[in-house]
Each structure stands twice: as C-alpha cells, then as structure tokens.
C-alpha cells in the first residue's frame, strides 16, 4: 500500500489565524483612520488612540520596521506596508488640520486690529502660581482667559496683580460640590468688554459656566472643563462634550473656551457644524497641534483645549499653541478673534 501524503500539521490553522489577524488589523486601522465613519469614535480604546494620531503614527512605523527587520521579513512585507500606509494616513489627517501656530510672538498694541479679542485657555492643574498667570496675561495682552483646574482665589489674586500693572480685569469662578481643584474653573475678563456676571452653570460634572455682560457690548463667554475619557466617566464624557458644543450657538456672538478633553475626532464635535460655532484652531490651520501633554512635541500630543466662536460675529485672526507656565503640562491655547467682516482675518 502506497504511503498517504498529508499537508503540514497546522498549516490550515496557521493560514486561518493569519487571515483573522489580518482582518482584525484592517478593521483597527480603518477605525483609527476614520473612527466617525464606523461610529466607534466614542469607544474607550479608539477614543484614546485617535486623540494621539501623531504618537500612533510613530508606533505604527516602529512596528513596521520591526516586522521587516526580522527573519520573517519576506512573509511580513505586506503587513508592514499596510502599517506604513496607516501611519501615513494619520500624518495626512494632522497635516490637513494644520500644524501652524507654534509659539509666535504676542501681538503688540499697534498690531492688534480694532475690536480684536485675545482669548487664552490655560488648564493650570492647580499648580501655576497667580504671579506666573498674571505675567502670561500681561505678555499676551489677553482679554479673556479660561482657567480650568484653577481655584477662584487664584484668579482673584491674578486680578490683584494685574491691577497693580494697570490692567482692569475681573474674575469669576465656580467649584463643583465636594471637588478638588480638577472641579474648579475660573474666568478672567477685561472690563473693556463690559462688567460680567455669572449666568448659568454647564451640565458638566466639573465646574463650567457662562458669564454675560451687565454693561458694555461684550459677548457671552463660557468657561468649560469636561470630564476625561477614563474608566468610570466614559458615559459622562460622551454626553458632556456634545452638550457644550451644541450650546455654543445659544447666544449670538458667543465664545466658548476651555478644556473639552476631546479632539475633533470625538463625539463632542459630531454636530459642530450645526451648533452655529466654529473651532478656532480648525479655522486657522492649527488643529493638528497638541495642547496636552506638554512633555510630548506638539505634533505628538492631543488638541483637547479649544476655543469655539460664532462665525457670524467673529473671524479668527490667528491661533497659537504656547509653551506652558511652570506647574502644568497643558500648553496654553491662544486665539485672536476680530469682528466678522472687518477684513482683518487671514
């Protein structure tokens, strides 16, 4: 009797395993490239990865190099090429959103168009001194400063220091009940925009609020800090961001500034177009620059600090992502707005 010829043991299983791994890899890469298309941009792991597109690109390239450097490189050339392509998609998304605006000099008084408003977002993490904040406000000529994770007492001290330097600022603040400094949010407004008062709290677990002028013609200003997409808070994160963005258009001429703990890929910005507001960094071509963490280069970080504005009232002159003061790992977002139709915006 002639011997039977059999295939290599496990050959079919190995092929099936490779196909399954390939399919999973393909789905993951599509999810990273276009998470909103698949409706997975609010999922925990995907939300974290797409927030750090630059870092993901570096990781994908690193894995691709490891694959082609090993003894199985002939068999892994195609997966490596797919990883390189996926990394290129991440870079292309960042480049399309814009990578300009790293640390330009502050505008001088002579350079500022009439009616312009300089808005800063600085999540201080409770570690930035009032003196350093006052110095930042003076250096950048800020008119509106949103200060997530900042005690109202710190903001009041900034006002005192600024007054000594000839500025006329006012401070408002709210603290979530029983919260530490992560639940405290403050707002500084120059009195040239009017005398402001608290108007309403935001539907967020961390303190956020809207202030409106009682005198003067300034806009409604909202200082915001939503929860982060971490275990236990994912559900709140999925609802808080969209609620804040949707509410931007409630008041004509509104400005919303703060830490939304979301990039443009996340659910918070699903209905940005319908909200009646625009994201200033996206308009200015700076939405690819990360504001957190400052320990990473801007292109590897995540842009979670935002300024939204009503385009019927405001045009974006420029956006800058500034190095942080000592005590925080959030870079400072600076947005210069000018009255819409003034012809000053680029």
């Amino acid at each position: 009797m002639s011997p039977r010829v059999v295939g290599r043991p496990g050959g079919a299983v190995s092929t099936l395993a490779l196909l399954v791994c390939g399919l999973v890899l393909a789905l993951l890469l599509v999810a990273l490239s276009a998470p909103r298309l698949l409706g997975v941009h609010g999922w925990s792991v995907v939300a974290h990865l797409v927030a750090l597109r630059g870092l993901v690109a570096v990781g994908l390239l690193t894995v691709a190099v490891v694959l082609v450097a090993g003894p199985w490189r002939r068999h892994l050339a195609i997966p490596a090429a797919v990883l390189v392509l996926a990394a290129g998609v991440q870079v292309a998304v960042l480049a399309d959103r814009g990578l300009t605006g790293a640390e330009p000099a502050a505008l001088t008084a002579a350079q500022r168009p009439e009616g312009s408003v300089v808005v800063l977002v600085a999540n201080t993490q409770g570690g930035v001194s009032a003196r350093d904040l006052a110095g930042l406000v003076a250096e950048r000529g800020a008119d509106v400063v949103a200060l997530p994770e900042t005690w109202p007492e710190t903001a009041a001290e900034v006002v005192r220091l600024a007054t000594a330097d000839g500025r006329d600022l006012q401070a408002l603040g709210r603290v979530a009940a029983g919260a530490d400094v992560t639940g405290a949010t403050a707002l500084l407004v120059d009195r040239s925009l009017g005398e402001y008062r608290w108007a309403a709290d935001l539907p967020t677990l961390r303190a956020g609020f809207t202030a409106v002028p009682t005198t003067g013609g300034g806009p409604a200003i909202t200082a915001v800090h939503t929860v982060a997409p971490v275990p236990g808070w994912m559900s709140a994160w999925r609802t808080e961001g969209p609620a804040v963005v949707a509410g931007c258009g409630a008041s004509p001429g509104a400005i919303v500034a703060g830490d939304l703990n979301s990039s443009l890929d996340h659910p918070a910005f699903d209905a940005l177009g319908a909200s009646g507001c625009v994201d200033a960094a996206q308009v200015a071509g700076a939405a690819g620059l990360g504001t957190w963490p400052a320990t990473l280069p801007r292109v590897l970080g995540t842009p979670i600090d935002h300024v939204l504005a009503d385009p019927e009232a405001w045009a974006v002159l420029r956006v800058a992502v500034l190095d942080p003061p000592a005590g925080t790992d959030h870079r400072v977002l600076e947005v210069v707005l000018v009255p819409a139709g003034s012809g000053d915006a680029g």
Side-chain angles (χ1 to χ4, degrees), residues 13-27:
V13 175
S14 298
T15 301
L16 179 61
L18 286 174
L19 288 174
V20 171
C21 290
L23 178 60
V24 171
L25 177 62
L27 288 174

Side-chain angles (χ1 to χ4, degrees), residues 212-267:
V212 297
T214 56
T215 62
I221 302 171
T222 297
V224 59
H225 187 202
T226 65
V227 297
V230 297
W233 285 350
M234 288 299 298
S235 179
W237 174 76
R238 293 188 194 101
T239 58
E240 286 188 358
V244 170
V245 174
C248 178
S251 298
I255 296 172
V256 174
D259 179 359
L260 272 72
N261 270 308
S262 296
S263 73
L264 294 177
D265 288 303
H266 292 140

Side-chain angles (χ1 to χ4, degrees), residues 139-158:
E139 177 190 353
R140 307 307 297 190
D143 304 297
V144 174
V145 187
L147 296 168
E149 298 192 33
T150 305
W151 295 115
E153 294 81 3
T154 302
E157 178 63 10
V158 174

Side-chain angles (χ1 to χ4, degrees), residues 119 244-251 253-258 260 264 268-269 271-285 287 305-317 319 333 335-338 340 345:
V119 183
V244 170
V245 174
C248 178
S251 298
I255 296 172
V256 174
L260 272 72
L264 294 177
F269 292 94
L272 177 62
S275 72
C277 287
V278 295
D279 180 78
Q282 185 177 30
V283 171
D305 299 285
H306 298 267
V307 172
L308 312 179
D310 176 3
E312 295 295 321
W314 302 105
V316 181
L317 180 64
V319 170
L333 179 67
V335 173
V336 182
L337 302 173
V338 295

Side-chain angles (χ1 to χ4, degrees), residues 88 111 126 141 154 165 178 220 247 327 345:
Q111 292 172 325
T154 302
D165 287 336

